[in-house]
Every structure is written in structure tokens, then in C-alpha cells.
Amino acid sequence: MVIQADPCVLRGVPEFFETTLGECLQARTESLTTFRELGPPDLCHVVKTNPKSTISQIGSYHFVLGVDASSSATFSAYLNSLTYMLGLAGGKANPWKITGGTYCCFNAFSRVDLRVDIKIPGGVEAYVIDLRGDKHEITNTAAIWQETYVSAVLRAIHDDQMEEGVEPLLGLRKLDPLPTIKLEKRFLEAAAAEYFKGWQLGSKSEVQVPTVSSNHLVDGILKYFTNAGRLHDASAFFSTLFVEDPEVGAVLAQTYLGSGIS
């Protein structure tokens, strides 16, 4: 027996369906004051329409780690990629179409939720929601996007969903945040630019007060290169920052010891 999948469901994406359109966005806005340190995974809200259905418009959402958060264009590209995950309906063209959505990504430096409303076809609006739930235009555009980008990559690197004792987040889709050397280089350049603000992100629980050499940005870079078996590259990264601030020497020493550099 062949079971026909619901044509409005995205294949391979663990999504939830809304009772009221946009309720997940409202819930995220109301919970912004509870966001701590790096914040939660990104939220992708998807609007699907089918003029032939008794319910012509539905909303669904899922959580994401690893999407390129460097611009509104990359968020638009992600939402567009979901259109290819709507399967056929009984072997025929799917009457359901993705006509829009909202991508939410928490900027852990400025403590705002950067959101991009996307209409398909055409139409993109980027803005931020502060912790009080108020909407603002993005003024210092380059700085806000760079902070958001670094925040998103660090969240993906620090993801502990597979660790023992951690309750997995339902509806979470995980992607590789740095799938190429080119993207890795871009992230390291952005991380270096934000490095001396890293203490604003907080630190692991055993560190009482985050510092330049002990915070989630530092730990994320160390974790990334440690997992890749490339602590010598971490040494190269921190060496350039050591020139600017001797306090970075504490982190640099860790990379030397771990990589066997003498």
C-alpha cells in the first residue's frame, strides 16, 4: 500500500503547522526577553497558499542552525530553496506554493532579533525587533549584519543537540555553517573584527565573568578547529589578535599546547 504524503508538507524538513497564521512569530517576540547569551536557533516561518483548498493559506515553521546569515539575500535564498521541497500531489503538479515567509536570527551582540520578511515572487524587508518587542529599521546596516552573521555561525558550532543528557529541540534543521574554505575564511575575518566584543556573548557556566580570552566566541573558534584537528590554524588566527592585545596570549598558549607547536 502506498501512503500519499500531504502535498503541503516540506520533504526532509521537520516543520510544525500553525493554528493561527503568524503565531510562531508572536511567540518568539514575546520570549525575546528570555534569550540568553548566544540565543536560540533561527526561526523560519513559511506561508503556503493553495487557491483550490478550503483553507487557502497555512503557516508552518521550523528552527534552523547553519544558514548563512550575512544578508537578506541569503535568507531569501534559503526560503526559495524550500520551494523545491514541496513534492508532487498524486503525481501531478503541487497546488500548494510557498508565497512568503519570515526568517528570524538573533543578534547576540546587539541583543536584537533580526528579521527578514520575504514575498515570493519579489519583495524583501529587513528590520530588527528589540527585547521590548518594538520594530526598528536597520540603521548601521553593515555592523548589524556582521554581528548577526557571527552570532549565527557560533550558535551552529556550539550546538550540543547530539551530546548525552541534552534534550533535542524538535523541529530543528541543522546545516553545515562553513561548508567551504572560502566561507570559513569569511567567517574568521568577521570573527576577528568582532573579537574584542566577544565578552558580550557570555561564557561557559564555570567562568564567572566573560573576558577577552574567555567567552563564547573564543570557545567557538577553539571548538571548530579542535573538531577539525586543525589547532595550528587556530594558532594562526589568535596570533594576529595577540599583536593587538597581549591578553589573547592565554588563548594562543592553549592552541600551541594542543597542536604540539613549540
Side-chain angles (χ1 to χ4, degrees), residues 55-250:
I55 301 176
S56 62
Q57 190 175 64
I58 58 173
S60 68
Y61 64 96
H62 59 280
F63 304 104
V64 198
L65 287 172
V67 168
D68 185 342
S70 60
S71 70
S72 57
T74 56
F75 289 156
S76 296
Y78 176 74
L79 190 69
N80 271 291
S81 73
L82 298 179
T83 63
Y84 300 102
M85 296 180 182
L86 285 170
L88 297 175
K92 300 179 181 179
N94 196 327
W96 286 97
K97 305 295 180 186
I98 294 178
T99 55
T102 300
Y103 197 97
C104 310
C105 187
F106 188 63
N107 179 329
F109 291 93
S110 294
R111 315 303 297 173
V112 294
D113 206 32
L114 191 152
R115 299 186 182 181
V116 178
D117 290 341
I118 303 156
K119 304 295 183 185
I120 300 176
V124 173
E125 180 191 7
Y127 54 93
V128 295
I129 303 292
D130 65 24
L131 298 184
R132 294 175 298 182
D134 296 330
K135 179 179 177 180
H136 304 274
E137 292 184 7
I138 300 177
T139 51
N140 194 354
T141 307
I144 288 293
W145 277 108
Q146 180 166 271
E147 289 178 351
T148 305
Y149 169 63
V150 172
S151 299
V153 175
L154 289 175
R155 275 193 294 272
I157 292 173
H158 279 289
D159 174 49
D160 59 1
Q161 296 290 311
M162 300 301 291
E163 293 184 8
E164 186 176 349
V166 175
E167 185 174 346
L169 174 65
L170 298 178
L172 177 64
R173 186 183 188 208
K174 295 188 287 185
L175 305 173
D176 184 351
L178 303 173
T180 67
I181 293 298
K182 181 179 179 180
L183 291 177
E184 177 190 290
K185 180 181 178 182
R186 185 179 69 173
F187 166 66
L188 292 176
E189 289 173 350
E194 301 296 332
Y195 183 84
F196 293 103
K197 296 192 295 184
W199 60 271
Q200 298 175 14
L201 304 177
S203 60
K204 49 193 174 185
S205 57
E206 54 265 35
V207 177
Q208 291 186 339
V209 180
T211 66
V212 168
S213 59
S214 185
N215 57 67
H216 288 313
L217 191 155
V218 170
D219 292 343
I221 292 171
L222 288 174
K223 180 178 180 180
Y224 175 75
F225 283 118
T226 298
N227 290 347
R230 294 166 49 206
L231 274 176
H232 58 284
D233 287 329
S235 300
F237 173 81
F238 289 111
S239 291
T240 59
L241 296 164
F242 177 62
V243 175
E244 298 182 47
D245 188 341
E247 189 176 342
V248 181

